[in-house]
Amino acid sequence: MRTKLIFGNWKMNKLTSEAREFALQSVEFKKYADEHGVQIGVAPTFTSLSVVKEVNPSLTVAAQNCHFEEKGAFTGEISIPMLLDLHIDWVIIGHSERRTYFGETNETCNKKIKALFAHDMTPIYCCGETLEQFENGLTKEVIKEQINVGLADLYKEHVKNMVIAYEPIWSIGTGKNASKEIAQDICSYIRDLVKEMYGDASETVRILYGGSVKPENVRAYLSEKDVDGALVGGASLKVDSFKQLIENIVD
Ligand code: PEP
């Protein structure tokens, strides 16, 4: 049984005071999520990682990026040891905004994932196609490359516990959802690709759907067999809608 996971990606939002307020209020709904067997987490900006972790240590907290080198001349970057120093052991890797605006490639994602696993950390590896690729029927080709290269040469034991997020770029922040059928089809395709590479690690790896997930549609996605949770941007920013995401998926 794969534990359901609802993860909020805050992107470049929230001052530390706002992150603290959210974390304070999360104490109560984290308990509710635990009681219903749902794991929840958030990915704040680097400046708010500590405050969220300190205020609610039981919340899963991820960074939105990291560098694959331990230290050195990489101005503006944050290393894995620096994250561990803040007790942060989850990181989002290869979000489409990082691929589009900051030159992230499948190869750099692979280096980052390897570096995270070397420190026993958990990556949430994002993949997904552009609107043009979707319209040209190239989705599976693109996903295959992202998975084959991004997840190359890893240990099965590590892959077993990682998280992959399928996020069609055309549905992120656009209000234009992929249907639950598309989400299921691609999440199941990703599971098959992981099976080809790492055998039964595919049975435990958790695969999320992301792209305009809201309290009103979250249940439909999570009712699909291969969709184990959601990576949520906009609807994760407000306490009330985050809470509703959880309430709407429990029985
Ligand atoms: C995201 O940023 O990963 C995302 C899915 O955003 P939104 O939910 O706002 O589409």
Side-chain angles (χ1 to χ4, degrees):
M1 249 287 270
R2 298 183 292 266
T3 305
K4 287 178 188 166
L5 175 61
I6 300 290
F7 221 100
N9 173 18
W10 288 352
K11 312 192 186 200
M12 199 172 70
N13 292 294
K14 289 195 192 294
L15 303 178
T16 52
S17 54
E18 295 164 321
R20 175 185 297 280
E21 187 52 37
F22 185 107
L24 271 172
Q25 296 194 41
S26 75
V27 173
E28 194 196 315
F29 64 79
K30 167 73 171 71
K31 279 193 206 136
Y32 175 84
D34 285 346
E35 281 160 18
H36 292 85
V38 178
Q39 184 183 0
I40 59 170
V42 291
T45 52
F46 286 122
T47 50
S48 292
L49 288 170
S50 286
V51 73
V52 173
K53 197 71 197 167
E54 275 164 28
V55 173
N56 187 357
S58 70
L59 202 58
T60 302
V61 180
Q64 297 174 16
N65 182 33
C66 67
H67 199 281
F68 48 82
E69 295 289 353
E70 302 255 311
K71 60 181 175 175
F74 300 102
T75 303
E77 290 293 313
I78 305 282
S79 74
I80 288 172
M82 288 167 187
L83 293 175
L84 285 171
D85 195 32
L86 304 180
H87 310 288
I88 302 300
D89 54 6
W90 283 57
V91 184
I92 296 178
I93 298 294
H95 189 279
S96 64
E97 286 149 18
R98 296 221 54 89
R99 292 177 186 261
T100 306
Y101 306 127
F102 304 102
E104 189 85 272
T105 63
N106 295 330
E107 288 76 11
T108 54
C109 289
N110 181 246
K111 286 187 184 178
K112 292 179 182 193
I113 291 171
K114 282 181 179 154
L116 287 170
F117 283 152
H119 288 86
D120 285 326
M121 293 168 71
T122 306
I124 302 177
Y125 177 52
C126 301
C127 57
E129 79 286 9
T130 63
L131 181 60
E132 195 186 353
Q133 289 164 338
F134 173 71
E135 286 176 347
N136 286 305
L138 296 172
T139 300
K140 289 192 176 170
E141 204 175 301
V142 171
I143 297 289
K144 187 172 187 181
E145 178 78 4
Q146 290 171 334
I147 296 295
N148 284 348
V149 178
L151 302 190
D153 305 321
L154 304 174
Y155 292 105
K156 180 176 159 181
E157 291 313 303
H158 288 144
V159 175
K160 250 168 136 169
N161 299 316
M162 74 175 293
V163 176
I164 300 172
Y166 168 55
E167 299 207 302
I169 298 172
W170 47 273
S171 74
I172 297 180
T174 58
K176 215 176 171 188
N177 297 84
S179 66
K180 64 184 174 64
E181 289 79 14
I182 293 178
Q184 164 58 24
D185 183 37
I186 304 302
C187 289
S188 141
Y189 179 65
I190 292 170
R191 204 175 296 287
D192 288 344
L193 292 171
V194 174
K195 190 171 182 181
E196 277 171 25
M197 297 171 83
Y198 297 106
D200 63 9
S202 63
E203 287 164 27
T204 51
V205 68
R206 283 182 289 175
I207 305 177
L208 315 181
Y209 167 75
S212 299
V213 173
K214 306 263 176 301
E216 311 85 71
N217 59 26
V218 67
R219 194 178 177 92
Y221 288 114
L222 269 78
S223 65
E224 294 295 330
K225 186 165 113 349
D226 288 291
V227 181
D228 302 316
L231 183 56
V232 187
S236 74
L237 287 169
K238 295 222 166 80
V239 168
D240 283 350
S241 71
F242 199 113
K243 254 164 72 177
Q244 274 171 31
L245 288 167
I246 307 163
E247 286 163 5
N248 290 0
I249 60 163
V250 301
D251 294 318

